[in-house]
Amino acid sequence: MTNKTFTMIKPDAVANGHTGNIINDIIAAGFKIEAMKYLQLTQAQAEAFYAVHSERPFFRDLVNFMISGPIVAAILEGENAVENFRNLIGATNPANAAEGTIRKKYAVSIDANAIHGSDSDENAAIEGNFFFSSFERF
Ligand code: ATP
Ligand code: MG
């Protein structure tokens, strides 16, 4: 049985030229790309996407970082997708990320941490629907 997760390659990783390597790592790990687009979030979109963190002290910095440059958003399909993808990307703070994970290889800091991965099946569906219409999914 396969299911889905949602990811964004964040502005630091795009700006630092890691987009191709990260997509390679995702495909090599066995995920199928169901939808993908390259875009720059507006402030309102970033605030809406991260609304669950709106009371956190790092919210302003997080939003400003996420709108600082283009990102790649994607819906991924794979076995146990949410958990397996979080294992592939590694800990939020790259200093704590395991060897071989995407954040260990490509992230700069806890803010500029290269990539997002949904934290539950429910949020994967919400986040995927936030970015993609049914016509953009294959
Ligand atoms: P993401 O949701 O981006 O996949 P995550 O699930 O590992 O990351 P969250 O707790 O959802 O982490 O936090 C969202 C983002 O907010 C993190 O990716 C990170 O960039 C930022 N963040 C989280 N905690 C902190 C913190 N203590 N200080 C600064 N930034 C933080
Ligand atoms: Mg999260």
Side-chain angles (χ1 to χ4, degrees), residues 67-105:
I67 66 174
S68 67
I71 64 166
V72 175
I75 297 171
L76 305 175
E77 194 180 299
E79 201 175 314
N80 193 22
V82 166
E83 189 184 347
N84 284 355
F85 191 72
R86 301 244 334 159
N87 289 335
L88 177 67
I89 72 178
T92 307
N93 186 343
N96 304 326
E99 212 58 53
T101 60
I102 288 174
R103 281 171 169 159
K104 181 69 173 187
K105 291 199 278 186

Coordinates of all heavy atoms in Angstrom, one line a residue, residues 67-105:
I67 N 9.6 33.3 1.9 CA 9.2 34.2 0.7 C 10.5 34.8 0.1 O 10.3 35.6 -0.8 CB 8.2 35.3 1.1 CG1 8.8 36.3 2.1 CG2 6.9 34.6 1.7 CD1 7.8 37.5 2.4
S68 N 11.6 34.5 0.6 CA 12.9 35.2 0.2 C 13.3 34.7 -1.2 O 14.2 35.4 -1.8 CB 14.0 34.9 1.2 OG 14.4 33.5 1.2
G69 N 12.8 33.7 -1.8 CA 13.2 33.2 -3.1 C 12.3 32.1 -3.6 O 11.4 31.6 -2.8
P70 N 12.5 31.6 -4.8 CA 11.6 30.6 -5.3 C 11.8 29.2 -4.6 O 12.9 29.0 -4.0 CB 12.0 30.4 -6.8 CG 13.3 31.1 -6.9 CD 13.4 32.1 -5.8
I71 N 10.8 28.4 -4.6 CA 10.8 27.1 -4.0 C 10.3 26.1 -5.1 O 9.8 26.5 -6.1 CB 9.9 27.0 -2.8 CG1 8.4 27.2 -3.2 CG2 10.3 28.0 -1.7 CD1 7.4 26.9 -2.1
V72 N 10.5 24.8 -4.8 CA 9.9 23.7 -5.6 C 8.9 23.0 -4.6 O 9.3 22.5 -3.6 CB 10.9 22.8 -6.1 CG1 10.2 21.6 -6.9 CG2 11.9 23.5 -7.1
A73 N 7.6 23.0 -5.0 CA 6.6 22.3 -4.2 C 6.3 21.0 -5.0 O 6.2 20.9 -6.2 CB 5.4 23.1 -4.1
A74 N 6.0 19.9 -4.2 CA 5.7 18.6 -4.8 C 4.8 17.7 -4.0 O 5.0 17.8 -2.7 CB 7.0 17.9 -5.2
I75 N 4.0 16.9 -4.6 CA 3.3 15.8 -3.9 C 4.0 14.6 -4.3 O 4.3 14.3 -5.5 CB 1.8 15.8 -4.4 CG1 1.1 17.0 -4.0 CG2 1.1 14.5 -3.8 CD1 -0.3 17.2 -4.6
L76 N 4.3 13.8 -3.3 CA 5.1 12.5 -3.5 C 4.2 11.3 -3.1 O 3.5 11.4 -2.1 CB 6.4 12.5 -2.7 CG 7.3 13.7 -2.9 CD1 8.5 13.7 -1.9 CD2 7.8 13.8 -4.4
E77 N 4.4 10.2 -3.8 CA 3.7 9.0 -3.5 C 4.7 7.9 -3.1 O 5.8 7.8 -3.8 CB 2.9 8.6 -4.7 CG 1.9 7.5 -4.4 CD 1.1 7.2 -5.7 OE1 0.5 8.0 -6.3 OE2 1.2 6.0 -6.1
G78 N 4.5 7.2 -2.1 CA 5.4 6.1 -1.7 C 4.9 5.3 -0.5 O 4.0 5.7 0.1
E79 N 5.6 4.2 -0.2 CA 5.2 3.4 0.9 C 5.4 4.2 2.2 O 6.5 4.8 2.4 CB 6.0 2.1 0.9 CG 5.4 1.0 1.6 CD 6.3 -0.3 1.5 OE1 6.7 -0.6 0.4 OE2 6.5 -0.9 2.5
N80 N 4.4 4.2 3.0 CA 4.5 4.9 4.4 C 5.1 6.3 4.2 O 6.1 6.6 4.8 CB 5.4 4.0 5.3 CG 5.3 4.4 6.7 OD1 4.3 5.1 7.1 ND2 6.3 4.1 7.5
A81 N 4.5 7.0 3.2 CA 5.2 8.2 2.7 C 5.6 9.2 3.7 O 6.7 9.7 3.7 CB 4.3 8.8 1.6
V82 N 4.7 9.6 4.6 CA 5.0 10.7 5.6 C 6.2 10.3 6.4 O 7.2 11.1 6.5 CB 3.8 11.0 6.5 CG1 4.2 11.8 7.7 CG2 2.7 11.7 5.6
E83 N 6.2 9.1 7.0 CA 7.3 8.7 7.9 C 8.6 8.5 7.2 O 9.6 8.9 7.6 CB 6.8 7.5 8.7 CG 7.8 7.2 9.8 CD 7.5 5.9 10.6 OE1 6.4 5.3 10.4 OE2 8.3 5.4 11.3
N84 N 8.5 7.7 6.1 CA 9.7 7.4 5.3 C 10.3 8.7 4.8 O 11.6 8.8 4.7 CB 9.4 6.5 4.2 CG 9.2 5.0 4.7 OD1 9.4 4.8 5.8 ND2 8.8 4.2 3.8
F85 N 9.5 9.7 4.3 CA 10.1 10.9 3.8 C 10.7 11.7 4.9 O 11.8 12.3 4.7 CB 9.0 11.7 3.1 CG 9.6 12.9 2.3 CD1 10.3 12.6 1.1 CD2 9.5 14.2 2.7 CE1 10.9 13.6 0.4 CE2 10.1 15.2 2.0 CZ 10.8 14.9 0.8
R86 N 10.1 11.8 6.1 CA 10.7 12.5 7.2 C 12.1 11.8 7.6 O 13.0 12.5 8.0 CB 9.8 12.6 8.4 CG 8.5 13.2 8.1 CD 8.1 14.5 8.7 NE 8.5 14.9 10.0 CZ 8.5 16.2 10.3 NH1 8.0 17.1 9.5 NH2 8.8 16.6 11.5
N87 N 12.1 10.5 7.5 CA 13.4 9.9 7.7 C 14.5 10.2 6.7 O 15.6 10.4 7.0 CB 13.3 8.4 7.8 CG 12.5 7.9 9.0 OD1 12.5 8.6 10.0 ND2 11.9 6.8 8.9
L88 N 14.0 10.4 5.4 CA 14.9 10.8 4.3 C 15.4 12.2 4.5 O 16.6 12.5 4.2 CB 14.2 10.7 3.0 CG 15.0 11.1 1.7 CD1 16.1 10.1 1.5 CD2 14.0 11.2 0.5
I89 N 14.6 13.1 5.0 CA 15.0 14.5 5.1 C 15.8 14.8 6.4 O 16.7 15.6 6.4 CB 13.9 15.5 4.9 CG1 12.9 15.6 6.1 CG2 13.2 15.3 3.6 CD1 11.8 16.6 5.9
G90 N 15.6 14.0 7.5 CA 16.4 14.2 8.7 C 15.8 15.2 9.6 O 14.8 15.9 9.4
A91 N 16.5 15.4 10.8 CA 16.0 16.3 11.8 C 15.9 17.8 11.4 O 16.6 18.2 10.5 CB 17.0 16.2 13.0
T92 N 14.9 18.5 12.0 CA 14.7 19.9 11.7 C 16.0 20.7 11.7 O 16.2 21.5 10.8 CB 13.7 20.5 12.7 OG1 12.5 19.7 12.8 CG2 13.3 21.9 12.3
N93 N 16.8 20.5 12.8 CA 18.0 21.2 12.9 C 19.1 20.4 12.2 O 19.4 19.3 12.7 CB 18.4 21.5 14.3 CG 19.6 22.3 14.5 OD1 20.4 22.5 13.6 ND2 19.8 22.8 15.7
P94 N 19.7 20.8 11.1 CA 20.7 20.0 10.4 C 21.8 19.5 11.2 O 22.5 18.5 10.9 CB 21.1 20.9 9.2 CG 20.7 22.3 9.5 CD 19.5 22.1 10.4
A95 N 22.1 20.3 12.3 CA 23.2 19.9 13.2 C 22.9 18.5 13.9 O 23.8 17.8 14.3 CB 23.4 21.0 14.3
N96 N 21.6 18.2 14.0 CA 21.1 17.0 14.6 C 20.7 15.9 13.5 O 20.3 14.8 13.9 CB 20.0 17.2 15.5 CG 20.3 18.2 16.6 OD1 21.4 18.3 17.0 ND2 19.3 19.0 17.0
A97 N 20.8 16.2 12.3 CA 20.3 15.3 11.2 C 21.3 14.2 11.0 O 22.6 14.4 11.0 CB 20.1 16.1 9.9
A98 N 20.8 13.0 10.8 CA 21.6 11.8 10.5 C 22.4 12.0 9.2 O 22.0 12.6 8.3 CB 20.8 10.6 10.5
E99 N 23.6 11.3 9.2 CA 24.4 11.2 8.0 C 23.6 10.7 6.8 O 22.8 9.7 7.0 CB 25.6 10.3 8.3 CG 26.9 10.6 7.6 CD 27.4 12.0 7.9 OE1 27.5 12.4 9.1 OE2 27.6 12.7 7.0
G100 N 23.8 11.3 5.7 CA 23.1 10.8 4.5 C 21.7 11.4 4.3 O 21.2 11.3 3.2
T101 N 21.2 12.1 5.3 CA 19.8 12.7 5.1 C 20.0 14.0 4.2 O 21.1 14.6 4.1 CB 19.2 13.1 6.4 OG1 20.0 14.0 7.1 CG2 19.0 11.8 7.3
I102 N 18.9 14.4 3.7 CA 18.9 15.6 2.8 C 19.3 16.8 3.6 O 20.1 17.7 3.1 CB 17.5 15.8 2.1 CG1 17.3 14.7 1.1 CG2 17.3 17.2 1.5 CD1 15.9 14.6 0.4
R103 N 18.8 17.0 4.8 CA 19.1 18.2 5.6 C 20.6 18.1 6.0 O 21.3 19.2 6.0 CB 18.2 18.3 6.8 CG 16.9 18.9 6.4 CD 15.9 18.9 7.6 NE 14.7 19.7 7.3 CZ 13.5 19.5 7.9 NH1 13.4 18.6 8.8 NH2 12.5 20.3 7.6
K104 N 21.1 17.0 6.3 CA 22.6 16.8 6.6 C 23.4 17.3 5.4 O 24.4 18.0 5.6 CB 22.9 15.4 7.0 CG 24.3 15.2 7.4 CD 24.7 15.9 8.7 CE 26.1 15.5 9.2 NZ 26.3 16.0 10.5
K105 N 23.0 16.9 4.2 CA 23.8 17.1 3.1 C 23.7 18.6 2.5 O 24.6 19.1 2.0 CB 23.4 16.2 1.9 CG 23.8 14.7 2.2 CD 23.9 13.9 0.9 CE 22.5 13.4 0.5 NZ 22.6 12.4 -0.6

